[in-house]
Amino acid sequence: MGPKYSSSRENYLKAIFHLQEIHGTVTTNDVANELQTRPASVTDMLKKLKAQKLLLYEKYKGFKLNTEGRKVALQIIRKHRLWEYFLVEKLRFGWDEVHEIAEELEHISSKKLIDRLDEFLGFPKSDPHGDPIPDSQGRWTLTRQVDLLNLPINQMAEVSGIGDQSAEILELLNHKHIALGTRLEVKKKFAFDNSIELKIKNQSPVTISEHVAKNVFVKYDE
Amino acid sequence: MGPKYSSSRENYLKAIFHLQEIHGTVTTNDVANELQTRPASVTDMLKKLKAQKLLLYEKYKGFKLNTEGRKVALQIIRKHRLWEYFLVEKLRFGWDEVHEIAEELEHISSKKLIDRLDEFLGFPKSDPHGDPIPDSQGRWTLTRQVDLLNLPINQMAEVSGIGDQSAEILELLNHKHIALGTRLEVKKKFAFDNSIELKIKNQSPVTISEHVAKNVFVKYDE
DNA sequence: TTTATTTTTTAGATTTGTCTAAATTTTATT
DNA sequence: AATAAAATTTAGACAAATCTAAAAAATAAA
């Protein structure tokens, strides 16, 4: 059996999901803009998605995915992010060059394939951009995982992993009282050398270099 | 940029390549049969492939791929077989369940992806069915690799690998004078228990069980 | 070598996804 | 509230890939 929905339909579902996460409800123009297509084409597709019972839609009013549509969208997002993780972690791609390839891979239909891939990758919780990966039931941890360079300022987070496992970096982190589980927030980012000033509760601020920041991963709820 | 040719076109190229390997020249009905489609649809596509300069075709005469068409077909076969290898070796799929999934994966367009995958897999020479994998220039070793159960009768071949690495099988093979590099041929296959009678030059015939045969891989030129 | 059979092609229709241009509805502005 | 502007939908067209039914060409059989 081929795919349940065409690539095109899947792209619409994904775009609508994305937009309704941001705005609650979605408009025709939004989708046209997101998918680089024409509003008329969007309307055409909305009718099809409604007929397939994936979308709540009354013409001229806004629209949003129903439960089934959301479910399908989450599976596509899951595939996209797992493939991105694979490309970066296993095939040594840069995190900035994987999106386009994952746009194609996300439409491969086999559920067994994606569950095996998930297992092969060790059930990662976040993709290389820090976005959460839904599990095979479409649930996701609300936790984002990023390195310290990408942690928003004043966002409390918990250290969840160290990239470089060398004794040198562990010594440095130890000295600054940073370990797995430490709760901290970024107070300042210096554009000059990308160094970062951190604050850990009940301690005075510490500064770390870009090189170190890149290797410290933290998670936080959004 | 999207794919250079549609999935459908790629499937035609692959089918025609396959058929012309067997019969030299290809007919409309052959292709229709191979792709489970109608002769009229094949004719339609032949015109398009000819217009794209991938096919030598005069109506009512047979047809075959030109150099460019062959090149494209080989790249698709390369992708198909590398993905099959990945599915079996990395994701623990059975060799009998990977074909359908690879039919989808083979249409992913990124050349960089497939070259990285090739590297990640260690530049395998054969897919899980023993079919050769073309390299990134479309060249392939004419050598097929199969286990002893699948070696054609009276085909001289050379032992190229042992699946199970246990001391027990190595002891058994050693006793029967079978090692990496040994040249042998299958003289008889017994349907009753799938045991196999082998002949090594200057030695009397030996019989091995199905279990052993499955774990001895050989290569031969076709 | 006619005739019959099979193969292949053409003609015209269908489906999916897209588009442009025009019409309609909603929203914003005076 | 009337009008202007923006958003959305409809109507009709097009390209790709497929199909059926009929016509044309090639092959096989009498």
Side-chain angles (χ1 to χ4, degrees):
Chain A
M1 45 162 176
K4 215 161 174 181
Y5 307 103
S6 73
S7 292
S8 181
R9 275 163 158 70
E10 292 192 343
N11 285 334
Y12 275 92
L13 292 173
K14 200 175 46 145
I16 295 168
F17 182 92
H18 183 63
L19 292 167
Q20 77 182 28
E21 289 288 283
I22 302 170
H23 301 113
T25 184
V26 188
T27 70
T28 305
N29 266 355
D30 277 354
V31 176
N33 192 56
E34 177 93 357
L35 293 179
Q36 296 289 46
T37 184
R38 296 294 171 172
S41 311
V42 176
T43 304
D44 290 342
M45 184 59 85
L46 293 179
K47 289 191 214 159
K48 293 172 193 162
L49 294 177
K50 186 189 179 183
Q52 267 177 116
K53 296 198 200 307
L54 297 166
L55 191 69
L56 303 171
Y57 166 60
E58 296 302 330
K59 61 181 183 175
Y60 291 110
K61 323 274 169 172
F63 46 92
K64 52 161 73 167
L65 300 178
N66 64 17
T67 307
E68 181 62 19
R70 231 171 7 245
K71 214 169 116 185
V72 175
L74 274 167
Q75 286 310 310
I76 303 159
I77 291 166
R78 168 172 162 78
K79 289 193 275 184
H80 183 100
R81 293 181 181 169
L82 281 173
W83 281 118
E84 284 200 343
Y85 190 96
F86 170 73
L87 294 172
V88 169
E89 294 298 320
K90 300 292 181 181
L91 301 195
R92 305 183 300 102
F93 278 89
W95 65 271
D96 52 332
E97 51 181 346
V98 296
H99 182 77
E100 251 197 298
I101 303 176
E103 286 289 301
E104 283 188 64
L105 284 164
E106 73 189 6
H107 301 297
I108 304 294
S109 58
S110 166
K111 176 141 176 53
K112 187 167 181 180
L113 165 62
I114 210 65
D115 289 343
R116 283 286 174 87
L117 181 66
D118 195 11
E119 183 191 348
F120 177 64
L121 298 174
F123 304 105
K125 293 277 173 294
S126 306
D127 76 8
H129 309 98
D131 297 312
I133 300 176
D135 71 15
S136 67
Q137 268 73 244
R139 294 171 305 224
W140 60 21
T141 313
L142 290 170
T143 304
R144 292 178 61 87
Q145 174 148 8
V146 293
D147 65 33
L148 274 182
L149 281 181
N150 290 299
L151 180 62
I153 290 214
N154 294 324
Q155 169 65 60
M156 179 60 71
E158 179 183 322
V159 176
S160 56
I162 311 296
D164 185 331
Q165 290 294 336
S166 70
E168 286 83 355
I169 197 174
L170 295 177
E171 184 210 356
L172 184 153
L173 293 174
N174 194 42
H175 182 259
K176 296 194 194 281
H177 307 289
I178 296 170
L180 285 178
T182 302
R183 292 175 57 74
L184 50 77
E185 54 193 301
V186 169
K187 281 299 178 190
K188 233 175 141 30
K189 298 183 182 187
F190 299 100
F192 174 64
D193 62 353
N194 286 322
S195 66
I196 281 175
E197 189 178 271
L198 302 175
K199 182 73 182 68
I200 304 172
K201 219 178 174 185
N202 301 327
Q203 287 186 216
S204 39
V206 295
T207 296
I208 62 173
S209 69
E210 176 182 18
H211 187 53
V212 171
K214 256 191 207 162
N215 281 287
V216 175
F217 295 91
V218 297
K219 60 185 188 193
Y220 62 97
D221 298 341
E222 38 192 356
Chain B
M1 40 158 180
K4 215 163 177 181
Y5 308 103
S6 72
S7 293
S8 180
R9 276 162 156 71
E10 293 191 343
N11 286 333
Y12 275 92
L13 292 173
K14 199 174 48 142
I16 296 168
F17 181 91
H18 182 64
L19 292 168
Q20 76 183 29
E21 289 287 283
I22 303 171
H23 302 114
T25 184
V26 189
T27 70
T28 305
N29 267 354
D30 277 354
V31 176
N33 192 56
E34 177 93 357
L35 293 179
Q36 297 288 48
T37 185
R38 297 293 172 171
S41 310
V42 176
T43 303
D44 290 342
M45 186 58 85
L46 293 179
K47 289 192 215 158
K48 292 173 195 164
L49 294 177
K50 186 189 179 182
Q52 267 177 117
K53 296 200 200 306
L54 298 166
L55 191 68
L56 304 171
Y57 165 60
E58 295 302 330
K59 61 182 182 174
Y60 290 109
K61 324 273 168 169
F63 47 91
K64 53 161 72 166
L65 300 178
N66 64 17
T67 307
E68 181 61 19
R70 232 171 6 246
K71 214 169 115 186
V72 176
L74 274 168
Q75 286 309 311
I76 303 160
I77 290 166
R78 168 172 162 77
K79 289 193 274 183
H80 183 100
R81 293 181 181 168
L82 281 173
W83 281 118
E84 284 200 342
Y85 190 96
F86 170 73
L87 294 172
V88 169
E89 294 299 318
K90 300 292 182 181
L91 300 195
R92 306 184 300 99
F93 277 90
W95 64 270
D96 52 331
E97 50 180 347
V98 295
H99 182 77
E100 251 196 298
I101 302 176
E103 286 289 301
E104 283 188 63
L105 285 165
E106 72 189 5
H107 301 297
I108 303 294
S109 58
S110 167
K111 174 138 175 58
K112 187 166 181 181
L113 166 61
I114 210 64
D115 290 343
R116 283 285 174 90
L117 181 66
D118 195 12
E119 182 191 348
F120 177 65
L121 298 174
F123 303 107
K125 293 277 172 292
S126 307
D127 76 9
H129 309 99
D131 298 312
I133 300 176
D135 72 16
S136 68
Q137 267 75 244
R139 294 172 305 225
W140 59 22
T141 314
L142 292 169
T143 304
R144 290 178 61 86
Q145 174 149 5
V146 292
D147 65 34
L148 274 182
L149 282 181
N150 290 300
L151 181 61
I153 288 213
N154 294 325
Q155 169 65 59
M156 179 61 71
E158 178 183 324
V159 176
S160 57
I162 313 294
D164 185 331
Q165 291 292 339
S166 70
E168 286 83 354
I169 197 174
L170 295 178
E171 184 210 356
L172 184 152
L173 294 174
N174 193 43
H175 181 258
K176 296 196 196 281
H177 306 288
I178 297 170
L180 284 179
T182 302
R183 292 176 57 76
L184 50 77
E185 53 193 301
V186 169
K187 281 300 178 190
K188 235 176 138 30
K189 298 184 181 184
F190 298 101
F192 174 64
D193 63 352
N194 286 321
S195 67
I196 281 175
E197 191 178 88
L198 301 175
K199 183 74 184 68
I200 304 172
K201 219 178 173 185
N202 301 329
Q203 287 187 218
S204 41
V206 294
T207 296
I208 62 172
S209 68
E210 175 182 18
H211 187 53
V212 171
K214 255 191 209 163
N215 282 287
V216 176
F217 294 93
V218 297
K219 60 184 189 194
Y220 63 97
D221 297 343
E222 39 191 357

